[in-house]
Amino acid sequence: KPPVIGFCGLGAMGSLMARNLANHSHTRWHSQGTEPIHIYNRTQSKSEKLLKELGKEKVKISDNAMQLARECDVVITNLGSDAAVKSVYAQFKQALSVRPH
């Protein structure tokens, strides 16, 4: 099964990168049944814009960074400041350190 890919940070550059990943994740280089790219952005309207543009078969919105970390095998980030990086990675760490019962 192909890895589930997540993308966090949909600014000017990140939205283009996420769009390319989503558009090309279903090409002949990837097996059928590839899950949509999971995306998260602090400004949810940017995630919704990409979903509207590409559709549910290519993009799935995560509610927060913790959900993105839990649901994806690989997460790519494109964040605009040191503060954003520290905040998002702290959330990733928290999400991945919680052990299910």
Side-chain angles (χ1 to χ4, degrees), residues 18 20 32 46 49 66 70 75 86 88 97:
N20 280 337
Q32 293 294 348
K46 291 183 180 184
K49 179 181 176 186
M66 292 175 68
R70 285 187 192 118
V75 176
K86 289 177 183 179
V88 167
S97 64

Side-chain angles (χ1 to χ4, degrees), residues 10 12 14 16-19 25 27-30 32-33 40 59 63 65 69-70 74 76 86 93 96:
L10 301 174
L16 296 173
M17 293 169 66
R19 179 181 295 110
S25 66
T27 65
R28 66 186 175 101
W29 300 108
H30 298 276
Q32 293 294 348
Y40 170 70
V59 173
D63 293 330
R70 285 187 192 118
V74 176
I76 300 164
K86 289 177 183 179
K93 179 181 177 184
L96 298 175

Side-chain angles (χ1 to χ4, degrees), residues 8-78:
C8 180
L10 301 174
M13 185 168 54
S15 62
L16 296 173
M17 293 169 66
R19 179 181 295 110
N20 280 337
L21 279 170
N23 279 328
H24 297 288
S25 66
H26 300 301
T27 65
R28 66 186 175 101
W29 300 108
H30 298 276
S31 63
Q32 293 294 348
T34 300
E35 190 159 335
I37 301 298
H38 294 224
I39 59 172
Y40 170 70
N41 195 75
R42 290 179 295 173
T43 306
Q44 187 158 351
S45 61
K46 291 183 180 184
S47 297
E48 291 167 355
K49 179 181 176 186
L50 196 57
L51 174 64
K52 184 178 180 181
E53 179 186 331
L54 299 178
K56 290 182 180 182
E57 63 281 344
K58 292 185 179 180
V59 173
K60 177 181 177 186
I61 296 175
S62 294
D63 293 330
N64 52 55
M66 292 175 68
Q67 179 186 5
L68 186 73
R70 285 187 192 118
E71 293 182 349
C72 298
D73 300 306
V74 176
V75 176
I76 300 164
T77 60
N78 190 31

